[in-house]
Structure formats: structure tokens, C-alpha cells
Amino acid sequence: MNTINPLDRTQAPHIKDAIEFDLHLKPYQKMVLDNGVEVYTIDAGPEDLLQLEWVFFSGNWYEEQNGIAAATNHLLKNGTTAKSAFEINDHFDYYGAYLNRSCYNETATISLHTLNRHLPELLPVVAEIITEASFPEQELEIYQQNMKQRLEVNLLKCDFVANRKIDECLYGLNHPYGKYSTAETYNLLKPESLRQFHQQYYKNGRCIMFVAGKLPSDIYQQLNNNFGKLPIHARTSVEITHPIVRATEKKYNIINDLNGVQAAIRIARPSIKRLHPDFTKAQVLNTIFGGFFGSRLMSNIREDKGYTYGIHSFFQNHLSESAWMISTEAGKDVLEATIKEVYYEMQVLREELVEDDELLLVKNYLIGTVLGDLDGPFQIIGRWKNIILNNLTGAYFDNSIQTIKDITPKDIQEMAEKYLKPEEFYELVVV
């Protein structure tokens, strides 16, 4: 008879640092449909749930008219040649499924969350949306009206204006990362233009699929039957380049609301991309600088000085370019003081070594964040999606984790000396 040893409650359990974990990314399984479309899958999870995502290379990088990509993506499920917007939404609601779409700079997606037993009823309608979206004129008119009203409200907000202007400084107004919409952008949209964009970049466009959850045994047959014969393909997208025209001035002050009591501050510079050998080290530096609630910017400017409710720094990662951004809102009376403290924290990181305890805290935070992000199949496939779309390999994840574990205070200082140079940052204030 086995006996169970009672817990010794006089002894505290051993606390294990996150960096002590041997962390790896669960591998995906890859399938290829008859038309060459690649499908990446993660089979995991206790519930009969699935997340399916169709990624098309149809973001605003590929549009010839501003606003076409976002409008096309938004109106995909607002009517086909056989179904109205109401019928489409009612169909997915009936099965308790959620169909969504999102548009980004290079890519646009259609995503489906559902019980796996409902796939036979839902996949044909997704295929219909991809091939037969009709873009009714009345649906476009509703979209135009809603977007213009939303824009009118947002333009009163200093943080919204600041986000648009800083991107223009970094990339140029005619670059996909720097351009923005106006009321005229929406007025110029026509159903026929949307149909042409859909025809080229969805119906006959490049597609990659990502599927995660408890996969049914016939998942390949279902996907291949519904999507393997469609004209969507796996070929490389049309090579399109866009010149970057950065702003020549480094400092900007914009008056947006004379009666406002708070202003938006953006301090940003062009930065390195994920493929750069310094990228993970720079991420650790960014976390110390302003990347989490215990960062130096938060401790100084929020906790000590009380200038703002929150301040953070982050990498604005696109597939083709990247930027390093510091973002906050502060009262008009402390704007200069806030900016001064940002540059002061840059200087300290360049001139002084980070204490071992602070670096250990940040390492554990970063590894712990990864652990939390991998809690389930949907999160795991999201990591793989990011790796695959950025043309990285599975080794990228392992190498990044090891870099976080091995980085030293001297490495942090070297990164700060290289990238936290005030003269390379744009400085924007919108009041």
C-alpha cells in the first residue's frame, strides 16, 4: 500500500525563476492544399474549439488608391452574389461562431472561431466570401458615413493626431506606413474599385492559412475540399517597393485644441528589424527603459515626478521597416520637463551599467510573458504566424530566449550607446 507524504508546511516551496525554465515552442504541422496554399496547424487543447485564419497579402502596401485595402477587407462579409450581409451574419450567429476580418499594412486576414463540429456548415460560406464578395453600394455608403464620423471625433484627440504625424515623419506621407485617411479618402471609394482589389488580392491572391485547436481527423479533407480548388495561390506576392521620405526637421509642435489641458508626446526613431542580430538585445534594453510597468520611464516620470498616468516605449514592427517609439500624454505645464526626463533616462543607460537585480527582474518578466503568451493553441499558432510572415525560422524563438537569458549589463550599455542617441529621434508634441 502506497503512502502519501504530507506537505511540510514549515518549509516554503522553492521559488523558481522564469529564466530557469527550458522553454521551447511547440512545433507546427504543415499541410499543402491542391492549389499550393500552405496550412500551418497546431493540434492541441481540451475543448472542441478551432481558430482558423486566412492571411492574404492585401494590406495597404498593395493599394493604388488610399483606403481601398481597409474598405475591401471590412466589407468582405457585407454581402456576396448569393447572400446579403444579414444572411451571412445570421448564418455564423446561428452556429455560435465568430467571423472577423482585419487589415494591416502588408497583410489582411479573415478569422473564424468555432466549434469544430460546425466546420462543414461554415467553411463553404467563408469560401463564398473569398470568391463572391459583392460590395453592395448601400453597404459601402454606410461604411463611408461611419468612418467619416469616427474620423471627425478622433481628430479632436491629440493622441490620435500625434500617432498620424509621427508615422508621417518616420516614413513619409506617401508611404504605406506613413499615409493616413481623410474625409476625401472615404468619399472617393467606389464599389467597382473594391471589387477589382478583391479580385486581384483575395480571389486570385496569395494566401497562407493558420489553424489551431482540437483538430478533427478530417481537417485536411475539409480544407482542401473548400479551398484547395480556389484560384487563391501560394506564389510570392507581386514585388512592390515604396520609397521612404523621412522628415528633415526633428522637432514639431502642433496646436490641435486650444482649450485642451493635456498634450500628446511622441519621441521616435527609425530602428532595426527582427532579422537584425541586435534585435532581441534591444528588446531587453527597451523593457528596462520603458517596456513594462516597472520600467525606468514609469518609475521616474509617473511614480516619482507624477507628470503622467503612463508612459511606455516599444518597437513599431512592420514587415519592411521598424521604429522605436516613446509614447505618453502629459499636462501642458510639464511637457518640457517630461521630455527632458526621457532623454535623461537615455543618458543614464548609456553611461551607467544596469544593476544585476534589475536585469534579472526584466529577464524573468520577459520569459514569464512568453510563458503566458504560449498558454494554449491559439497563442502558439500566433507566435508561429509572426515567425512565418517575417520569414524567420523556428530557431529564431530558441535563439531569442537564449539571448534574454545570457544578456549582460555590458550588453545593455552597448545597445544604449548604439541606439539611444537623442539626435536620432524625432520629437513631436500635439497640444
Side-chain angles (χ1 to χ4, degrees), residues 240-268:
I240 298 175
T241 59
H242 296 279
I244 293 177
V245 183
R246 306 196 196 278
T248 55
E249 298 293 327
K250 288 292 187 179
K251 295 187 178 183
Y252 295 85
N253 285 275
I254 298 174
I255 305 298
N256 190 61
D257 182 3
L258 289 173
N259 299 317
V261 297
Q262 191 164 275
I265 299 172
R266 300 293 183 271
I267 300 173

Side-chain angles (χ1 to χ4, degrees), residues 151-162 164-165 253-264 332 429-431:
L151 177 63
E152 185 177 0
V153 172
N154 283 335
L155 285 174
L156 300 176
K157 303 174 183 177
C158 60
D159 60 331
F160 179 82
V161 175
R164 287 155 61 103
K165 182 63 180 178
N253 285 275
I254 298 174
I255 305 298
N256 190 61
D257 182 3
L258 289 173
N259 299 317
V261 297
Q262 191 164 275
K332 288 182 178 180
V429 174
V430 179
V431 179

Side-chain angles (χ1 to χ4, degrees), residues 20 29 42 89 151 188 248 291 310 390 406 429:
E20 296 179 42
Q29 298 297 314
I42 293 291
N89 286 296
L151 177 63
L188 292 174
T248 55
N390 280 278
D406 294 342
V429 174

